[in-house]
Amino acid sequence: MQTLEDQLPYLQLLGKEYPSIQAASAAIINLSAQLSLPKGTEHYLSDIHGEYEAFRHVLRNGSGSIRRKIEEIFAASLSEQDKRSLATLIYYPTQKLSLVQGTIADEAAWYRATLSQVLRVARAVTAKYPQAQVRHFLPNHFAALIEELLEEHSEDKREYYHSLIETVIATGTANAFIVALAELIQRLAIARLHIIGDIYDRGPGAHQIMDTLIEYHDVDIQWGNHDIVWMGAAAGSGACIANVIRICLRYANMETLENGYAISLLPLASFAMDCYGDDPCSRFQPPSITENELTAHERQLMARMHKAITIIQLKLEGQIVMRRPQYQMEGRLLLDKIDVQRGTVRIVDSVYPLLDAHLPTLDPEHPYALTEREQIVIDKLKLSFANSRRLQKHVRFLFAKGGTYLVHNGNLLYHGCVAMNEDGSFKAFKVGGEAYAGKAFMDRVDRLARHGYYATDPEQKQYGMDAMWYLWSGEQSPLFGKEKMATFERYFIADKATHTENRNAYYMLRDQEPTARKILQEFGVNPDTGHIINGHVPVKAMKGESPVKAGGKLIVIDGGFSKAYQNKTGIAGYTLVNDSHEMLLVAHDPFESAQHAIEKELDSAPQTTVLEVSPVRKRVKDTGMGQEIQRQIDALNALLQAYREGLVKERE
């Protein structure tokens, strides 16, 4: 056990923040009190895939958390319709107030009742927080007023509170006051937001989602493979850049790339027209759902750009595979297996005809070398990605708040998988004679990804950027978890057997409780009380698949946020809510629009399943956050003792 003298350098630093006995004592008092507060509500979302409006709707209602709070408070005093109206008002205050205006016979009476109801919800939500923290989130112009009204009403001050409400109505500030309260409720209904990967691709609003997350009061992110490829692109990986652009072109979804991040595709467009100007590029046409949105000329240009960047991608990926033999991805080297004259490709022992054999930039002698024009294109694209301030801001945030996994409050969160062998052992990745498996491998690739973005040494940075590409599509990647990404086969080979992307054994084994317990133990989580929160693979609810696996130890919350997956899943995603009483799984219906939600008062998801109920209400002291607070208290007590023994001098 360390003595005070052993801790002296640390205590002297701590003394700069708490320069006196009084300051340290006050901090101990405040922190100790926090331990007795109810545990804050945690909200888990996964695989958002650019669906900004649906994401914002779920965020506004906390996956039904606010609706459940309304039910607790007004169970018998409000009708079902009135509860829905109140919930919608809290989710969309500005829009709902504008719809209400002019439809109420007695506006003053409506405002009195509504302000009273919203204040009651606000009091219930803020009860889990120290007053200083609540004060931090109050808008400056209403801070003092809201703080007064959030206090429990005493009989002596009843007329005073009534007068405050009447004055708010009389001065015409009731609408602004309701908006301020609603935003406070939205913010504090959820103490912490967990994003279990895949913010990017598919939908058009990934950049807007990132802006929202940056403004959120407490959030963490477990990277998905669709996130890491954008992070690699921002770092300067040509292979990641090519993948990002190819996916955007494949789905005719250019909003995030062009309007969100101002990435110029002019060099690619110019090259594609010159190189593939006479090529119909039929295999690379945008999806038919966009026919009414694009002219024939736009569709053809996108198809040619799509083909051009795909060939560049395959070449750059081949260079990484040859540069990093430890990846064991030689099976992805297919360009050198092409017979240009015959229009075929050999994969292992089989020869397949190419669906598109027009490959003017492919040199059979040097199949993975970029042409001079292709190199110019990728160099200009790298510059555009590097100079996008908004993209770089978002990626720095992903590094600051994210990682390959997270252990939080006794649960293990990760997007994809922990690579396993069929016998249930953790699959080892060997580098230079050293093997990494399980948690050790996750830690290593997390660190390498950071090198890829932050390292100043060119060799270290290149190694890290290659690792980011591996995390996107490598067999053992914890963010991907399949034996291959069959990009080449899907574009160029008709035989669908070659398109199969077999999953890691983890996805068969994760249904079994012993597997989940083994993984939890690997990451230092108590297998008796902990859970794995997983995403990545959509849950096919319409076919009866359950998101709850391994005897309740593993919960998959990817159920189809993205519209592209909803015809397979049958729902619009799962989310998870974990509060001081229980853990709830919420299944969401497809989201049409915010306007539709407001007009129809769609206040929460219709299906909520209680997964666990705590016999005793959980307090902050029962959580990982509580353990951290206790460590702070212990350090402050040591500082207090050091002050009293004269080892550290007070500064005040």
Side-chain angles (χ1 to χ4, degrees):
M1 184 176 178
Q2 282 189 321
T3 64
L4 283 180
E5 287 80 2
D6 294 331
Q7 299 178 64
L8 201 54
Y10 168 68
L11 295 176
Q12 287 171 334
L13 284 173
L14 190 62
K16 291 182 179 179
E17 187 173 354
Y18 303 97
S20 67
I21 289 175
Q22 289 79 6
S25 298
I28 291 169
I29 293 165
N30 290 330
L31 289 170
S32 298
Q34 285 183 38
L35 292 174
S36 298
L37 286 170
K39 170 193 171 297
T41 300
E42 298 175 72
H43 191 193
Y44 304 77
L45 283 72
S46 175
D47 297 84
I48 305 162
H49 283 299
E51 298 293 347
Y52 173 68
E53 278 212 6
F55 164 75
R56 283 294 297 159
H57 182 67
V58 170
L59 216 57
R60 285 173 186 271
N61 67 47
S63 286
S65 294
I66 294 172
R67 180 65 169 85
R68 287 187 290 277
K69 189 65 68 177
I70 290 171
E71 188 63 41
E72 288 173 19
I73 299 167
F74 303 104
S77 57
L78 288 181
S79 68
E80 186 63 27
Q81 181 58 53
D82 287 341
K83 292 173 195 172
R84 291 168 68 89
S85 295
L86 177 58
T88 305
L89 176 67
I90 292 172
Y91 307 153
Y92 297 97
T94 303
Q95 299 93 320
K96 186 64 178 175
L97 285 167
S98 67
L99 288 176
V100 168
Q101 295 293 329
T103 66
I104 305 164
D106 187 343
E107 283 198 353
W110 183 87
Y111 277 121
R112 284 188 205 101
T114 301
L115 282 166
S116 173
Q117 291 164 5
V118 176
L119 276 165
R120 287 182 68 183
V121 178
R123 285 191 201 104
V125 167
T126 56
K128 288 186 176 183
Y129 296 87
Q131 191 61 38
Q133 194 171 350
V134 174
R135 191 177 298 123
H136 174 73
F137 292 118
L138 298 179
N140 291 334
H141 50 292
F142 284 131
L145 178 58
I146 292 175
E147 201 165 356
E148 283 270 21
L149 290 170
L150 286 179
E151 290 182 13
E152 289 296 327
H153 289 191
S154 65
E155 191 63 36
D156 292 340
K157 296 182 77 172
R158 186 176 298 278
E159 287 189 22
Y160 170 68
Y161 289 120
H162 177 74
S163 175
L164 289 176
I165 294 293
E166 289 300 318
T167 306
V168 166
I169 297 168
T171 55
T173 56
N175 280 3
F177 192 64
I178 289 171
V179 171
L181 284 171
E183 289 177 350
L184 180 68
I185 293 167
Q186 286 182 35
R187 184 180 290 265
L188 295 185
I190 301 299
R192 179 138 176 174
L193 177 64
H194 305 284
I195 305 295
I196 321 291
D198 277 0
I199 296 163
Y200 284 86
D201 295 329
R202 309 292 189 191
H207 53 295
Q208 295 168 293
I209 294 169
M210 287 301 304
D211 284 339
T212 302
L213 292 177
I214 286 174
E215 294 300 318
Y216 206 80
H217 56 279
D218 197 358
V219 63
D220 56 71
I221 301 164
Q222 291 70 62
W223 304 328
N225 62 320
H226 284 272
D227 305 319
I228 201 71
V229 72
W230 280 85
M231 294 160 71
S237 165
C240 290
I241 287 171
N243 270 285
V244 161
I245 295 172
R246 177 185 62 80
I247 293 168
C248 290
L249 289 165
R250 179 182 177 186
Y251 295 100
N253 176 20
M254 310 304 290
E255 179 66 22
T256 295
L257 193 68
E258 293 186 328
N259 297 333
Y261 292 139
I263 303 295
S264 173
L265 296 182
L266 186 59
L268 177 62
S270 177
F271 167 70
M273 288 302 295
D274 290 346
C275 189
Y276 299 96
D278 298 325
D279 188 340
C281 299
S282 56
R283 296 289 301 163
F284 299 87
Q285 290 289 328
S288 57
I289 57 171
T290 62
E291 280 181 359
N292 296 329
E293 302 169 19
L294 298 172
T295 66
H297 176 74
E298 288 170 336
R299 291 179 62 81
Q300 196 56 56
L301 176 59
M302 288 185 76
R304 287 166 180 156
M305 293 166 67
H306 186 181
K307 182 173 181 178
I309 201 65
T310 300
I311 301 303
I312 290 172
Q313 173 192 317
L314 293 169
K315 289 182 176 184
L316 292 172
E317 289 180 335
Q319 291 176 21
I320 296 175
V321 171
M322 292 186 290
R323 187 161 61 235
R324 309 293 177 200
Q326 66 268 34
Y327 291 174
Q328 299 181 29
M329 294 178 68
E330 292 79 8
R332 295 290 79 212
L333 295 174
L334 297 175
L335 295 184
D336 58 312
K337 313 298 190 300
I338 291 175
D339 187 324
V340 178
Q341 298 299 321
R342 296 181 180 179
T344 61
V345 62
R346 176 179 291 277
I347 300 180
V348 191
D349 296 325
S350 300
V351 176
Y352 301 92
L354 293 172
L355 293 172
D356 184 339
H358 181 63
L359 304 168
T361 69
L362 186 69
D363 179 356
E365 297 298 318
H366 306 283
Y368 299 102
L370 297 180
T371 66
E372 185 178 349
R373 284 287 305 277
E374 286 174 327
Q375 188 63 58
I376 291 170
V377 168
I378 205 68
D379 287 344
K380 288 184 176 179
L381 287 170
K382 284 182 182 180
L383 236 123
S384 194
F385 274 80
N387 290 332
S388 172
R389 291 185 180 181
R390 193 177 185 186
L391 172 61
Q392 296 298 331
K393 177 183 178 181
H394 289 174
V395 168
R396 286 194 299 273
F397 183 79
L398 285 168
F399 276 111
K401 295 292 185 178
T404 54
Y405 71 89
L406 177 70
V407 174
H408 184 79
N409 281 347
N411 293 314
L412 172 62
L413 288 56
Y414 55 79
H415 176 72
C417 70
V418 180
M420 305 186 86
N421 296 304
E422 290 183 6
D423 64 1
S425 60
F426 295 120
K427 193 167 186 177
F429 188 100
K430 294 182 180 179
V431 184
E434 188 171 357
Y436 298 86
K439 180 179 180 295
F441 183 61
M442 298 270 266
D443 288 335
R444 177 173 173 78
V445 292
D446 185 297
R447 186 180 176 193
L448 288 176
R450 296 176 197 279
H451 289 172
Y453 189 77
Y454 290 108
T456 54
D457 176 73
E459 186 175 337
Q460 188 181 45
K461 183 174 177 64
Q462 185 64 62
Y463 197 99
M465 287 194 296
D466 290 351
M468 293 168 89
W469 172 81
Y470 182 86
L471 284 169
W472 155 245
S473 60
E475 180 182 358
Q476 261 179 264
S477 165
L479 314 187
F480 179 56
K482 298 179 184 178
E483 66 174 357
K484 67 179 181 183
M485 189 173 285
T487 307
F488 180 93
E489 292 89 338
R490 291 180 184 277
Y491 283 112
F492 292 101
I493 300 175
D495 188 344
K496 290 191 176 180
T498 66
H499 302 178
T500 303
E501 299 173 344
N502 293 320
R503 296 178 188 169
N504 182 263
Y506 165 87
Y507 290 101
M508 292 187 297
L509 298 168
R510 72 175 181 176
D511 289 357
Q512 303 169 15
E513 187 172 344
T515 299
R517 294 179 70 89
K518 179 177 181 176
I519 292 171
L520 288 167
Q521 287 176 319
E522 169 72 6
F523 286 83
V525 178
N526 185 340
D528 294 328
T529 58
H531 305 83
I532 297 168
I533 318 297
N534 204 177
H536 190 46
V537 178
V539 177
K540 296 177 181 177
M542 66 190 302
K543 293 186 177 180
E545 182 183 358
S546 172
V548 183
K549 303 177 185 296
K553 288 289 152 191
L554 189 147
I555 305 159
V556 183
I557 59 168
D558 178 6
F561 237 110
S562 172
K563 294 175 183 177
Y565 295 133
Q566 288 170 13
N567 63 340
K568 296 179 181 178
T569 62
I571 63 170
Y574 289 103
T575 57
L576 193 69
V577 175
N578 187 6
D579 61 23
S580 58
H581 295 288
E582 55 197 1
M583 179 179 279
L584 303 165
L585 183 71
V586 184
H588 296 265
D589 286 333
F591 181 75
E592 186 173 318
S593 69
Q595 189 62 33
H596 179 72
I598 296 163
E599 291 174 356
K600 300 296 182 182
E601 296 187 333
L602 304 176
D603 59 338
S604 62
Q607 300 177 41
T608 302
T609 304
V610 179
L611 300 182
E612 278 189 5
V613 177
S614 177
V616 179
R617 191 177 196 187
K618 290 182 180 177
R619 302 285 169 178
V620 171
K621 64 184 177 182
D622 304 317
T623 68
M625 179 183 170
Q627 293 170 9
E628 176 57 35
I629 290 174
Q630 187 59 56
R631 283 191 286 270
Q632 294 176 37
I633 292 170
D634 293 343
L636 285 164
N637 274 318
L639 177 62
L640 210 56
Q641 187 179 349
Y643 279 138
R644 287 170 174 156
E645 293 186 13
L647 294 172
V648 177
K649 293 181 180 180
E650 290 185 275
R651 294 171 182 267
E652 290 183 353

